[in-house]
Amino acid sequence: ILVEAANGSMIEKDPIGALQHLKVAESYDPKYAPIYHAKALAFHMRKDYARALAEMKIAVDLDPTNSYANNTYGKLLMDAKRIAEAE
């Protein structure tokens, strides 16, 4: 529910509110990959691209078969001009 609340905050263009929800979610289940995917999107909204990449890497490491996470991670790597890593 907290990840969904965070997604709702991002839809409302409130990445800070999203990160607050996600901090609580992470305290309950630090191994739940969608938390880190959502955190990456929230940090990206805040233009904190390095932090977005770091959070997305955690999401992919926790759930390496998640195609949505891999796609987002690849996009963030390409945006950061880290093309070789995105392949």
Side-chain angles (χ1 to χ4, degrees):
I1 290 179
L2 290 166
V3 174
E4 293 302 319
N7 289 336
S9 291
M10 284 189 277
I11 289 169
E12 296 294 323
K13 302 194 182 336
D14 179 16
I16 294 171
L19 289 167
Q20 290 170 340
H21 291 300
L22 295 166
K23 183 177 181 179
V24 175
E26 189 176 0
S27 73
Y28 287 117
D29 189 357
K31 300 288 187 191
Y32 187 56
I35 293 168
Y36 302 96
H37 193 159
K39 284 176 71 177
L41 297 175
F43 281 116
H44 191 269
M45 286 180 74
R46 296 190 67 204
K47 300 185 183 346
D48 186 344
Y49 303 119
R51 187 76 185 268
L53 268 170
E55 296 294 340
M56 204 61 238
K57 174 84 168 88
I58 295 168
V60 169
D61 287 346
L62 287 171
D63 188 3
T65 63
N66 183 315
S67 59
Y68 295 113
N70 281 299
N71 186 52
T72 301
Y73 189 47
K75 167 78 168 89
L76 294 178
L77 287 168
M78 291 176 66
D79 289 349
K81 308 287 189 249
R82 293 165 56 180
I83 307 303
E85 292 174 72
E87 294 180 349

